[in-house]
Amino acid sequence: MTDIRVGVFGVSGKMGSTVVKAVEAAEGMTIVGGVDLGDPLEQVGRAQVAVDFTHPDAVMDNIRWCLDNDIHMVIGTTGFTPERLDQVRAWCAEKPEVGVLVASNFSIGAVLMMQFAAKAALFYPSVEIIELHHPNKAEAPSGTATTTAQRIAAARDEAGMDPVPDATVYDGGARGAVVDGIHVHGVRLQGLVAHQEVLLGDTGETLTIRHDSYDRVSFMPGVVASVRWVTEHPGLTEGIEPVLGI
């Protein structure tokens, strides 16, 4: 069996360079090219799968180019709105043999944290999210926090729960962003990588579900598994849960 040929968008970035090392260490795949902002995209033209950890301003053009060239994609770049996902889904429909996987987080622990939070939210009237990242992150709230809030809100809505109680009248921004009725607070601090807490509460008790990524290598098992998976699964896939079978 020949190796899966992998290209990397954002190859010189912290995530991109970590992806290169992970792919080189993995069995059955090899790096065949990489590009940074401004480089000719043809430098990844030999790839079967392109991994993208770039910037929200660049990722859509990268997806369009890869689909036009029959290259599968594994994308960890953030900033995907429902409208952007609908656009990618439409593009994939034009290329039914190509797979695109978009995930807000490739850490197995982070994926489990999101699942645990959605289950726990059914038992607590109050829930808020605190996400903590390095100061070079492009967006706030993070994609992981947004996804977590959406899943919590969907679970609560399906269960017919009331809105999260909150008597705040005067808010100078301290209450954070609101994603589908769930407050999300963002911290940007030198020394952090990627961390998230989901705080849940009821009278007399609280529950905290926390996940910490101390090094970018924590994302690599999910990335490598997704590279293997996407070649056999055309169309748009959201999240790595199908890859992990959970």
Side-chain angles (χ1 to χ4, degrees), residues 101 111 115 151 226 229 233 236-246:
L101 184 147
V111 171
Q115 291 205 354
R151 292 182 181 181
S226 296
W229 190 88
H233 295 83
L236 174 63
T237 299
E238 298 178 55
I240 67 169
E241 286 85 348
V243 179
L244 302 176
I246 59 176

PDB file of all heavy atoms in Angstrom, residues 101 111 115 151 226 229 233 236-246:
ATOM      1  N   LEU A 101     -13.077  17.569   5.979  1.00  0.00           N
ATOM      2  CA  LEU A 101     -13.395  17.465   7.400  1.00  0.00           C
ATOM      3  C   LEU A 101     -13.010  18.774   8.077  1.00  0.00           C
ATOM      4  O   LEU A 101     -11.862  19.219   7.977  1.00  0.00           O
ATOM      5  CB  LEU A 101     -12.657  16.294   8.038  1.00  0.00           C
ATOM      6  CG  LEU A 101     -12.985  16.010   9.508  1.00  0.00           C
ATOM      7  CD1 LEU A 101     -12.895  14.514   9.806  1.00  0.00           C
ATOM      8  CD2 LEU A 101     -12.060  16.787  10.464  1.00  0.00           C
ATOM      9  N   VAL A 111     -12.905  16.831  22.626  1.00  0.00           N
ATOM     10  CA  VAL A 111     -14.130  16.266  22.069  1.00  0.00           C
ATOM     11  C   VAL A 111     -14.952  15.597  23.169  1.00  0.00           C
ATOM     12  O   VAL A 111     -16.179  15.777  23.251  1.00  0.00           O
ATOM     13  CB  VAL A 111     -13.800  15.261  20.947  1.00  0.00           C
ATOM     14  CG1 VAL A 111     -15.037  14.494  20.512  1.00  0.00           C
ATOM     15  CG2 VAL A 111     -13.194  15.993  19.761  1.00  0.00           C
ATOM     16  N   GLN A 115     -18.805  16.504  24.763  1.00  0.00           N
ATOM     17  CA  GLN A 115     -19.877  15.523  24.932  1.00  0.00           C
ATOM     18  C   GLN A 115     -20.340  15.452  26.381  1.00  0.00           C
ATOM     19  O   GLN A 115     -21.546  15.419  26.667  1.00  0.00           O
ATOM     20  CB  GLN A 115     -19.409  14.149  24.436  1.00  0.00           C
ATOM     21  CG  GLN A 115     -19.220  14.072  22.936  1.00  0.00           C
ATOM     22  CD  GLN A 115     -19.348  12.657  22.419  1.00  0.00           C
ATOM     23  OE1 GLN A 115     -19.468  11.703  23.180  1.00  0.00           O
ATOM     24  NE2 GLN A 115     -19.334  12.514  21.101  1.00  0.00           N
ATOM     25  N   ARG A 151     -23.889  22.980  21.348  1.00  0.00           N
ATOM     26  CA  ARG A 151     -24.330  21.633  21.724  1.00  0.00           C
ATOM     27  C   ARG A 151     -25.079  21.643  23.050  1.00  0.00           C
ATOM     28  O   ARG A 151     -26.081  20.933  23.213  1.00  0.00           O
ATOM     29  CB  ARG A 151     -23.126  20.700  21.786  1.00  0.00           C
ATOM     30  CG  ARG A 151     -22.498  20.442  20.424  1.00  0.00           C
ATOM     31  CD  ARG A 151     -21.340  19.481  20.506  1.00  0.00           C
ATOM     32  NE  ARG A 151     -20.746  19.274  19.200  1.00  0.00           N
ATOM     33  CZ  ARG A 151     -19.718  18.467  18.965  1.00  0.00           C
ATOM     34  NH1 ARG A 151     -19.180  17.780  19.978  1.00  0.00           N
ATOM     35  NH2 ARG A 151     -19.234  18.337  17.753  1.00  0.00           N
ATOM     36  N   SER A 226      -7.699  11.727  11.247  1.00  0.00           N
ATOM     37  CA  SER A 226      -8.589  12.377  10.286  1.00  0.00           C
ATOM     38  C   SER A 226      -8.029  12.298   8.872  1.00  0.00           C
ATOM     39  O   SER A 226      -8.785  12.154   7.905  1.00  0.00           O
ATOM     40  CB  SER A 226      -8.813  13.836  10.679  1.00  0.00           C
ATOM     41  OG  SER A 226      -9.474  13.922  11.929  1.00  0.00           O
ATOM     42  N   TRP A 229      -8.912   8.976   7.604  1.00  0.00           N
ATOM     43  CA  TRP A 229     -10.362   8.787   7.509  1.00  0.00           C
ATOM     44  C   TRP A 229     -10.967   9.518   6.318  1.00  0.00           C
ATOM     45  O   TRP A 229     -11.841   8.994   5.630  1.00  0.00           O
ATOM     46  CB  TRP A 229     -10.995   9.271   8.810  1.00  0.00           C
ATOM     47  CG  TRP A 229     -12.436   8.950   9.002  1.00  0.00           C
ATOM     48  CD1 TRP A 229     -12.962   7.806   9.561  1.00  0.00           C
ATOM     49  CD2 TRP A 229     -13.555   9.780   8.676  1.00  0.00           C
ATOM     50  NE1 TRP A 229     -14.331   7.881   9.588  1.00  0.00           N
ATOM     51  CE2 TRP A 229     -14.716   9.082   9.058  1.00  0.00           C
ATOM     52  CE3 TRP A 229     -13.678  11.040   8.106  1.00  0.00           C
ATOM     53  CZ2 TRP A 229     -15.989   9.604   8.868  1.00  0.00           C
ATOM     54  CZ3 TRP A 229     -14.943  11.573   7.928  1.00  0.00           C
ATOM     55  CH2 TRP A 229     -16.086  10.852   8.307  1.00  0.00           C
ATOM     56  N   HIS A 233     -14.206   9.080   3.000  1.00  0.00           N
ATOM     57  CA  HIS A 233     -15.497   9.642   3.388  1.00  0.00           C
ATOM     58  C   HIS A 233     -15.718  10.981   2.686  1.00  0.00           C
ATOM     59  O   HIS A 233     -15.383  12.045   3.218  1.00  0.00           O
ATOM     60  CB  HIS A 233     -15.566   9.812   4.912  1.00  0.00           C
ATOM     61  CG  HIS A 233     -15.516   8.516   5.652  1.00  0.00           C
ATOM     62  ND1 HIS A 233     -14.332   7.869   5.942  1.00  0.00           N
ATOM     63  CD2 HIS A 233     -16.509   7.726   6.142  1.00  0.00           C
ATOM     64  CE1 HIS A 233     -14.591   6.744   6.589  1.00  0.00           C
ATOM     65  NE2 HIS A 233     -15.908   6.630   6.713  1.00  0.00           N
ATOM     66  N   LEU A 236     -18.838  16.812   3.245  1.00  0.00           N
ATOM     67  CA  LEU A 236     -18.421  17.596   4.402  1.00  0.00           C
ATOM     68  C   LEU A 236     -18.696  16.835   5.691  1.00  0.00           C
ATOM     69  O   LEU A 236     -19.814  16.367   5.924  1.00  0.00           O
ATOM     70  CB  LEU A 236     -19.169  18.932   4.435  1.00  0.00           C
ATOM     71  CG  LEU A 236     -18.932  19.801   5.682  1.00  0.00           C
ATOM     72  CD1 LEU A 236     -17.476  20.232   5.779  1.00  0.00           C
ATOM     73  CD2 LEU A 236     -19.855  21.013   5.681  1.00  0.00           C
ATOM     74  N   THR A 237     -17.676  16.723   6.534  1.00  0.00           N
ATOM     75  CA  THR A 237     -17.812  16.151   7.875  1.00  0.00           C
ATOM     76  C   THR A 237     -17.458  17.234   8.883  1.00  0.00           C
ATOM     77  O   THR A 237     -16.414  17.881   8.765  1.00  0.00           O
ATOM     78  CB  THR A 237     -16.870  14.948   8.055  1.00  0.00           C
ATOM     79  OG1 THR A 237     -17.194  13.937   7.103  1.00  0.00           O
ATOM     80  CG2 THR A 237     -17.009  14.378   9.468  1.00  0.00           C
ATOM     81  N   GLU A 238     -18.301  17.415   9.882  1.00  0.00           N
ATOM     82  CA  GLU A 238     -18.073  18.403  10.926  1.00  0.00           C
ATOM     83  C   GLU A 238     -17.661  17.685  12.215  1.00  0.00           C
ATOM     84  O   GLU A 238     -18.420  16.872  12.747  1.00  0.00           O
ATOM     85  CB  GLU A 238     -19.315  19.249  11.172  1.00  0.00           C
ATOM     86  CG  GLU A 238     -19.751  20.072   9.970  1.00  0.00           C
ATOM     87  CD  GLU A 238     -21.014  20.862  10.250  1.00  0.00           C
ATOM     88  OE1 GLU A 238     -21.016  21.621  11.249  1.00  0.00           O
ATOM     89  OE2 GLU A 238     -21.982  20.727   9.496  1.00  0.00           O
ATOM     90  N   GLY A 239     -16.463  17.979  12.702  1.00  0.00           N
ATOM     91  CA  GLY A 239     -15.987  17.394  13.934  1.00  0.00           C
ATOM     92  C   GLY A 239     -15.312  16.046  13.713  1.00  0.00           C
ATOM     93  O   GLY A 239     -15.489  15.395  12.667  1.00  0.00           O
ATOM     94  N   ILE A 240     -14.558  15.598  14.710  1.00  0.00           N
ATOM     95  CA  ILE A 240     -13.851  14.324  14.599  1.00  0.00           C
ATOM     96  C   ILE A 240     -14.569  13.181  15.303  1.00  0.00           C
ATOM     97  O   ILE A 240     -14.038  12.071  15.372  1.00  0.00           O
ATOM     98  CB  ILE A 240     -12.389  14.430  15.107  1.00  0.00           C
ATOM     99  CG1 ILE A 240     -12.340  14.682  16.622  1.00  0.00           C
ATOM    100  CG2 ILE A 240     -11.633  15.504  14.349  1.00  0.00           C
ATOM    101  CD1 ILE A 240     -10.933  14.525  17.192  1.00  0.00           C
ATOM    102  N   GLU A 241     -15.763  13.431  15.787  1.00  0.00           N
ATOM    103  CA  GLU A 241     -16.510  12.353  16.434  1.00  0.00           C
ATOM    104  C   GLU A 241     -16.696  11.139  15.526  1.00  0.00           C
ATOM    105  O   GLU A 241     -16.496   9.996  15.978  1.00  0.00           O
ATOM    106  CB  GLU A 241     -17.863  12.860  16.937  1.00  0.00           C
ATOM    107  CG  GLU A 241     -17.785  13.739  18.178  1.00  0.00           C
ATOM    108  CD  GLU A 241     -17.520  15.197  17.857  1.00  0.00           C
ATOM    109  OE1 GLU A 241     -17.165  15.521  16.695  1.00  0.00           O
ATOM    110  OE2 GLU A 241     -17.675  16.032  18.765  1.00  0.00           O
ATOM    111  N   PRO A 242     -17.053  11.330  14.249  1.00  0.00           N
ATOM    112  CA  PRO A 242     -17.171  10.152  13.366  1.00  0.00           C
ATOM    113  C   PRO A 242     -15.844   9.421  13.185  1.00  0.00           C
ATOM    114  O   PRO A 242     -15.821   8.190  13.052  1.00  0.00           O
ATOM    115  CB  PRO A 242     -17.660  10.749  12.040  1.00  0.00           C
ATOM    116  CG  PRO A 242     -18.285  12.039  12.409  1.00  0.00           C
ATOM    117  CD  PRO A 242     -17.491  12.556  13.560  1.00  0.00           C
ATOM    118  N   VAL A 243     -14.754  10.157  13.192  1.00  0.00           N
ATOM    119  CA  VAL A 243     -13.429   9.542  13.065  1.00  0.00           C
ATOM    120  C   VAL A 243     -13.137   8.651  14.265  1.00  0.00           C
ATOM    121  O   VAL A 243     -12.591   7.548  14.129  1.00  0.00           O
ATOM    122  CB  VAL A 243     -12.343  10.625  12.935  1.00  0.00           C
ATOM    123  CG1 VAL A 243     -10.961   9.996  12.837  1.00  0.00           C
ATOM    124  CG2 VAL A 243     -12.611  11.540  11.744  1.00  0.00           C
ATOM    125  N   LEU A 244     -13.537   9.122  15.439  1.00  0.00           N
ATOM    126  CA  LEU A 244     -13.280   8.390  16.680  1.00  0.00           C
ATOM    127  C   LEU A 244     -14.344   7.330  16.961  1.00  0.00           C
ATOM    128  O   LEU A 244     -14.181   6.509  17.863  1.00  0.00           O
ATOM    129  CB  LEU A 244     -13.216   9.363  17.864  1.00  0.00           C
ATOM    130  CG  LEU A 244     -12.171  10.479  17.762  1.00  0.00           C
ATOM    131  CD1 LEU A 244     -12.297  11.398  18.965  1.00  0.00           C
ATOM    132  CD2 LEU A 244     -10.767   9.902  17.664  1.00  0.00           C
ATOM    133  N   GLY A 245     -15.445   7.383  16.224  1.00  0.00           N
ATOM    134  CA  GLY A 245     -16.523   6.422  16.445  1.00  0.00           C
ATOM    135  C   GLY A 245     -17.321   6.707  17.692  1.00  0.00           C
ATOM    136  O   GLY A 245     -17.849   5.788  18.325  1.00  0.00           O
ATOM    137  N   ILE A 246     -17.455   7.984  18.051  1.00  0.00           N
ATOM    138  CA  ILE A 246     -18.199   8.350  19.262  1.00  0.00           C
ATOM    139  C   ILE A 246     -19.267   9.382  18.920  1.00  0.00           C
ATOM    140  O   ILE A 246     -19.230  10.020  17.888  1.00  0.00           O
ATOM    141  CB  ILE A 246     -17.289   8.894  20.376  1.00  0.00           C
ATOM    142  CG1 ILE A 246     -16.523  10.145  19.909  1.00  0.00           C
ATOM    143  CG2 ILE A 246     -16.336   7.831  20.840  1.00  0.00           C
ATOM    144  CD1 ILE A 246     -15.698  10.786  20.985  1.00  0.00           C
TER     145      ILE A 246
END
